Amino acid sequence: MRLYSPLRIMYDREHLRALILEKSLKFGDFTLASGKKATYYLDCRQITLDSISAKLIGEGILDALKNDVLKNNAMPHAVGGMAIGADPITAAVITVAAYQGMPLKGFMVRKQTKGHGTDRFVEGPIGAGDRVVIVEDVITTGGSSLEAIEKVEALGVKVEGVIAIIDRLEGGREMFETKGYAFHPLFTVRDFGIS
């Protein structure tokens, strides 16, 4: 029984770009998760935890899945990534998918197991044979996404690609491509005037 009738939603890329500029981009001296030093920082929690931005992110990632990442393949069974950064992105994508009438599951990848309960690295309704796409907020070198890929592949899950909100253009794309994973960012830093 279908609970929702599909809605036609157009992804407004320019609106999302404006919100990232307004809420996420900061200049100064920063140390990134990769350990690199940077003169700018993309604080994507400011958009992934904002209702309007989250809706746009969900629409953008679904658009990328349909048009760019999978190239005529069927939609994946699930999307997810490394906790906690990917968690609100995953929630946005699966929620927008429901409104578009598409069955799509989500999952979370822990850095460490909890030591109780199921004591798993990967939480969510996925298992061997499922096809998934990793989602991420910002890609620098791609190390966090690669860690997520390794943990889900250990379950027998097939990773078909990685989608990020923003690519810092610091080697992540090349790393994914050399390992055979499709990569699609919604934006690169050049979209914000950074080169």
Side-chain angles (χ1 to χ4, degrees), residues 82-83 108-114 120-121 123 151:
M82 192 62 74
M108 301 181 295
V109 181
R110 297 178 184 278
K111 289 190 183 295
Q112 299 176 345
T113 62
K114 295 187 301 183
R120 295 173 45 150
F121 277 109
E123 299 287 353
K151 288 178 177 174

Side-chain angles (χ1 to χ4, degrees), residues 105-178:
K105 301 180 282 188
F107 62 92
M108 301 181 295
V109 181
R110 297 178 184 278
K111 289 190 183 295
Q112 299 176 345
T113 62
K114 295 187 301 183
H116 62 280
T118 59
D119 201 33
R120 295 173 45 150
F121 277 109
V122 182
E123 299 287 353
I126 64 168
D130 282 343
R131 294 174 296 97
V132 305
V133 169
I134 301 296
V135 295
E136 183 73 83
D137 54 1
V138 179
I139 294 287
T140 303
T141 62
S144 178
S145 291
L146 187 58
E147 184 179 347
I149 288 169
E150 290 168 355
K151 288 178 177 174
V152 296
E153 285 183 339
L155 298 176
V157 172
K158 175 164 178 27
V159 175
E160 295 191 332
V162 177
I163 299 178
I165 300 171
I166 305 166
D167 181 1
R168 290 181 63 100
L169 301 174
E170 295 185 28
R173 172 184 292 278
E174 294 78 11
M175 188 275 297
F176 293 130
E177 289 174 352
T178 61

Side-chain angles (χ1 to χ4, degrees), residues 7 21 34 56 105 130 147 151 179:
L7 300 175
L21 277 168
S34 64
L56 293 167
K105 301 180 282 188
D130 282 343
E147 184 179 347
K151 288 178 177 174
K179 295 189 177 291

Side-chain angles (χ1 to χ4, degrees), residues 48-69:
T48 61
L49 296 170
D50 170 79
S51 62
I52 301 299
S53 303
K55 174 184 163 294
L56 293 167
I57 291 164
E59 292 166 0
I61 290 175
L62 285 173
D63 188 65
L65 282 172
K66 292 182 226 173
N67 299 315
D68 297 311
V69 176

